[in-house]
Amino acid sequence: MIDRPISGQEAFALVTYTPEPLREWLIELRRLLPVESTSEPHITILPPRPLNIPATDAWQKISSTLSCFPAFEVELSSVRVFPGTNVLYLELSDGIPMLEELHATLNVGDFFHEEVFEFHPHLTVGGPVAPQELERKLRTARDAWRASACPTRFVVDQFAFVSISTSEAGRQWNRLWRHRLLAPKAHQQAAAANFINRTS
């Protein structure tokens, strides 16, 4: 699964951006390859899709759903390539179940969209890569990843609701709203307090 905006119209997506120093390292890796990328490094929860309701209403509903989830950790493992698209990405070795649950919970009702590809949590490095250059760029990316001193594990505690527009100049990603998840202990306390308020 890769991020592919809806052709001919504005699309919306839900993503979590990578923290420093991993963010800057991935940006430098893209320059080293180089490979096409029109957004900052991120993990996608809802791939680009059209909206049938106002964006403010959509964000209120998404934010309400996200409030049911605590912050969690993910870990990146190795550089791989999506066959058929030649897109380079970082595979996840931890955090996949939570990301899949988030996607399944959110991809319903007003936000349901038939995904272009089966949902597969990952962090896109860039692409598509020309077939004749794929082996070399994949090797470069893998060598750089193995040599990196950047942390491979980080906490996912913030999501961004973004709009993606297409034009002759390319794709433009704009962050509209952000939502921060509570740490697990704080989330449990908030959930308990909410339960008491509802039953008292």
Side-chain angles (χ1 to χ4, degrees), residues 21-81:
L22 182 60
R23 169 191 168 276
E24 185 60 32
W25 185 88
L26 287 167
I27 289 174
E28 289 300 319
L29 176 63
R30 289 171 173 177
R31 293 172 182 153
L32 175 66
L33 291 175
V35 289
E36 178 188 357
S37 184
T38 59
S39 65
E40 290 196 16
H42 65 274
I43 297 173
T44 301
I45 291 83
L46 284 181
R49 65 202 54 225
L51 282 182
N52 298 317
I53 60 175
T56 51
D57 293 347
W59 177 240
Q60 288 177 357
K61 290 184 176 183
I62 288 176
S63 183
S64 177
T65 300
L66 290 175
S67 296
C68 298
F69 290 84
F72 59 98
E73 292 186 346
V74 298
E75 185 160 13
L76 303 169
S77 58
S78 59
V79 179
R80 299 190 180 182
V81 58

Side-chain angles (χ1 to χ4, degrees), residues 38-187:
T38 59
S39 65
E40 290 196 16
H42 65 274
I43 297 173
T44 301
I45 291 83
L46 284 181
R49 65 202 54 225
L51 282 182
N52 298 317
I53 60 175
T56 51
D57 293 347
W59 177 240
Q60 288 177 357
K61 290 184 176 183
I62 288 176
S63 183
S64 177
T65 300
L66 290 175
S67 296
C68 298
F69 290 84
F72 59 98
E73 292 186 346
V74 298
E75 185 160 13
L76 303 169
S77 58
S78 59
V79 179
R80 299 190 180 182
V81 58
F82 282 117
T85 62
N86 288 1
V87 168
L88 304 182
Y89 71 96
L90 280 167
E91 183 68 278
L92 294 166
S93 59
D94 196 13
I96 289 178
M98 182 65 82
L99 291 166
E100 289 179 335
E101 184 179 353
L102 278 164
H103 176 264
T105 303
L106 289 164
N107 189 37
V108 297
D110 292 322
F111 310 115
F112 176 77
H113 184 65
E114 194 69 40
E115 309 295 7
V116 178
F117 301 98
E118 181 180 357
F119 182 71
H120 179 83
H122 68 282
L123 195 158
T124 299
V125 174
V129 178
Q132 65 273 18
E133 299 181 358
L134 180 59
E135 183 177 349
R136 178 176 62 83
K137 290 188 177 180
L138 181 58
R139 184 171 58 252
T140 297
R142 283 175 170 169
D143 289 346
W145 178 248
R146 293 190 191 102
S148 170
C150 283
T152 60
R153 190 175 189 89
F154 60 91
V155 174
V156 173
D157 62 359
Q158 187 167 272
F159 294 95
F161 187 55
V162 300
S163 67
I164 308 163
S165 57
T166 57
S167 66
E168 293 183 359
R171 285 180 282 177
Q172 299 295 323
W173 289 60
N174 298 301
R175 303 186 200 190
L176 301 180
W177 295 284
R178 291 182 295 177
H179 180 91
R180 184 175 293 277
L181 301 183
L182 294 175
K185 184 175 181 179
H187 182 267

